[in-house]
Amino acid sequence: MKVSVVIPAAGQGKRMEANKNKQFLLLGGKPILSHTITIFESSSSIDEIILVAQSEELDYCQSEIIHKYNFNKVSKIIAGGATRQESVYNGLKAVSEDADFILIHDGARPLLTNELIEHIITEVEKYQAVAIGVPVKDTIKIINQDKVVVDTPKRDNLIAIQTPQAFRRNLILEAYQRACEDDYLGTDSSSLVERLNKEIRVIEGSYENLKITTPEDLELAERIISRRLV
Ligand SMILES: Nc1ccn([C@@H]2O[C@H](COP(=O)(O)OP(=O)(O)OP(=O)(O)O)[C@@H](O)[C@H]2O)c(=O)n1
Ligand SMILES: C[C@](O)(CO)[C@H](O)COP(=O)(O)O
């Protein structure tokens, strides 16, 4: 069984308001993206890593991330697109044809654990499409354009979805191709598979598996990393 991972890292990190792509900011003294890749590089269940980066950052990624940290499983660095969805699709098209399963994981989530990788791979072998998520802690409201509440969904049914998300190779390629044909833009990969009327299994993620989006996330990630290092 062959498992590949696509890591989209071609965003701009606007919400981080840093003077560079947030994935190159340091966390525990190393670039955020290097932490993310290390998790998959060290996993005996992952055969191939496809990294997706902005076209003008391909060389930087090659020298300052892949070469510097000696990542051997990164087989390709592919140019991303204007949206996360486009970037992921570019990465998916570069995955080896003999891959059975593909994981998709945000470059901006450097705190994933090996246990979660093992768990999601075991589940995707059984169920074709799996996402990880955590129960939401706040009450979620749906508002209209005037910022007036129109509904309060029952919290028991709400999950905050994270990455990685894992899929059988042909299924996820079909989902991205169909979304592209239909001009559908989703905020995660599993929503594209839902459109094919396929079930997505959700397994328990971790509140520590943060997506580093704003400066407070980076501060929290620093605390988690330093605790893990002791
Ligand atoms: N065109 C894009 C946009 C996002 N991503 C990646 O998708 C992941 C999740 O996106 P997000 O955290 O929103 O990153 P950014 O788009 O960079 O953030 P922002 O919206 O603040 O600019 C990140 O690893 C990001 O690099 C990508 O590969 N290509
Ligand atoms: C895929 C994702 O991380 C799941 O929570 C999230 O939807 C990405 O959203 P973003 O706006 O691209 O950060």
Side-chain angles (χ1 to χ4, degrees):
M1 182 183 78
K2 183 164 177 177
V3 183
S4 302
V5 59
V6 171
I7 302 182
Q12 305 211 346
K14 288 191 197 127
R15 287 169 287 181
M16 183 57 78
E17 294 176 345
N19 55 3
K20 55 163 103 166
N21 183 343
K22 64 182 177 185
Q23 280 149 123
F24 304 130
L25 296 175
L26 299 185
L27 170 64
K30 285 172 26 185
I32 289 175
L33 185 56
S34 74
H35 287 276
T36 309
I37 300 174
T38 297
I39 307 159
F40 294 99
E41 176 87 17
S42 322
S43 161
S44 56
S45 304
I46 298 295
D47 299 287
E48 168 187 61
I49 301 171
I50 308 289
L51 179 63
V52 186
Q54 286 179 33
S55 46
E56 53 280 18
E57 291 177 344
L58 294 172
D59 289 345
Y60 184 86
C61 276
Q62 182 64 55
S63 61
E64 296 307 307
I65 303 287
I66 312 301
H67 184 70
K68 187 165 177 181
Y69 293 94
N70 209 12
F71 292 128
N72 296 312
K73 288 188 190 172
V74 180
S75 59
K76 291 181 191 141
I77 314 180
I78 301 292
T83 61
R84 178 186 186 277
Q85 185 167 314
E86 236 182 275
S87 296
V88 171
Y89 194 20
N90 290 354
L92 287 173
K93 288 186 276 193
V95 168
S96 302
E97 281 183 14
D98 60 349
D100 299 292
F101 299 101
I102 304 179
L103 270 57
I104 299 168
H105 183 69
D106 294 328
R109 288 190 193 265
L111 298 171
L112 178 69
T113 59
N114 190 50
E115 289 71 34
L116 272 171
I117 296 179
E118 290 304 315
H119 190 188
I120 199 166
I121 291 176
T122 309
E123 295 299 299
V124 78
E125 284 179 65
K126 289 187 269 184
Y127 305 107
Q128 296 205 61
V130 184
I132 67 173
V134 287
V136 296
K137 295 180 185 175
D138 297 322
T139 295
I140 304 292
K141 304 264 182 197
I142 297 173
I143 56 170
N144 65 16
Q145 284 184 336
D146 299 323
K147 302 218 163 102
V148 172
V149 173
V150 291
D151 199 9
T152 305
K154 204 167 167 346
R155 194 166 57 184
D156 297 354
N157 299 332
L158 295 175
I159 290 287
I161 288 293
Q162 306 175 335
T163 67
Q165 301 184 357
F167 308 91
R168 185 170 286 284
R169 179 178 182 275
N170 293 346
L171 174 62
I172 193 64
L173 277 166
E174 184 190 347
Y176 270 79
Q177 190 184 326
R178 287 276 286 277
C180 186
E181 287 162 4
D182 301 345
D183 249 341
Y184 172 84
L185 189 62
T187 54
D188 79 335
S189 307
S190 61
S191 61
L192 277 53
V193 176
E194 284 161 54
R195 298 179 71 243
L196 305 183
N197 290 324
K198 301 282 185 200
E199 270 185 12
I200 317 292
R201 279 274 150 168
V202 176
I203 61 171
E204 184 88 14
S206 158
Y207 290 105
E208 291 196 354
N209 182 25
L210 302 177
K211 180 161 70 64
I212 300 195
T213 307
T214 57
E216 311 81 67
D217 297 325
L218 188 54
E219 276 172 40
L220 181 53
E222 282 288 1
R223 290 205 292 276
I224 295 171
I225 281 267
S226 38
R227 170 170 42 77
R228 285 185 187 177
L229 289 176
V230 264

